[in-house]
Amino acid sequence: MSETSYGVRVRAVNQAGSGEASASGTGSTTPPPITLMLGRLGTGGSHVLALVDEGSGTPNRMYAFGNNDKGQLGLGDTVRRDSFVATSYTDFTSVGAGSQFSFAIEETGGSTKVRVWGFNGNQEFGSGVVGNPDTPEELPLPSGAAAPKQVVGAGAASFMLDTNGDVWAWGWQQSGRLGNG
């Protein structure tokens, strides 16, 4: 997979009420404006995914940066990235992350799927994905689940809301995290 690193401007409110930080990788020295909406940003324990409208006919290109020791950036390796890297993924409509894993909802050809990658040591992806994939793999949906609408991560657990309004859970059950007793 080819990757390009871009500068990214991050605006954040500090304790004094204002602030701006910027970082740039290779490529443009002027960070492109990034507009994010709900579901277009996923933050894990130490990694970030963002869907960015580049204005070039690829409105949902996924960018990633941060820790990648479990393949949670989806780049096919386990190399840490200290600045946003453009990936080849452009069919994702939302992204999310747990502690050391990531997921996305993908819409292609009239089909909606959940894609997962990264650490799966606590069955964060249920029983349908084996190992710790470092590129997005399709998550087989449970019998009876409708099309995915939203997926969120919480530590070592994953939750999917389907189009029928049902919530499905996978992952580490410690302290009742999955809500199934």
Side-chain angles (χ1 to χ4, degrees):
M1 170 182 358
S2 169
E3 60 183 59
T4 304
S5 181
Y6 290 93
V8 177
R9 180 176 24 210
V10 177
R11 293 179 187 228
V13 176
N14 60 24
Q15 290 179 345
S18 66
E20 182 172 320
S22 60
S24 61
T26 59
S28 172
T29 57
T30 303
I34 294 178
T35 302
L36 299 172
M37 297 180 297
L38 183 63
R40 297 182 62 88
L41 180 68
T43 58
S46 58
H47 70 289
V48 177
L49 308 172
L51 295 179
V52 177
D53 182 347
E54 297 176 319
S56 61
T58 55
N60 293 317
R61 179 170 308 280
M62 188 181 85
Y63 284 71
F65 85 90
N67 191 19
N68 193 32
D69 62 329
K70 305 296 183 193
Q72 59 264 48
L73 299 182
L75 300 171
D77 61 38
T78 56
V79 177
R80 176 183 178 84
R81 302 308 198 285
D82 291 326
S83 61
F84 271 108
V85 174
T87 71
S88 61
Y89 310 119
T90 59
D91 293 322
F92 296 158
T93 58
S94 68
V95 291
S99 180
Q100 295 178 307
F101 64 96
S102 304
F103 42 81
I105 294 181
E106 176 185 59
E107 292 184 10
T108 56
S111 174
T112 304
K113 300 174 183 174
V114 175
R115 298 281 182 181
V116 295
W117 60 97
F119 185 67
N120 188 31
N122 297 303
Q123 292 194 330
E124 287 85 346
F125 311 143
S127 59
V129 175
V130 178
N132 303 315
D134 58 13
T135 58
E137 290 189 12
E138 183 176 355
L139 175 69
L141 297 181
S143 176
K149 183 174 182 179
Q150 185 176 8
V151 183
V152 296
S158 302
F159 302 87
M160 180 189 82
L161 173 66
D162 71 17
T163 54
N164 287 339
D166 294 322
V167 175
W168 302 82
W170 300 270
W172 197 18
Q173 169 58 15
Q174 181 188 30
S175 303
R177 290 178 195 207
L178 302 183
N180 62 358

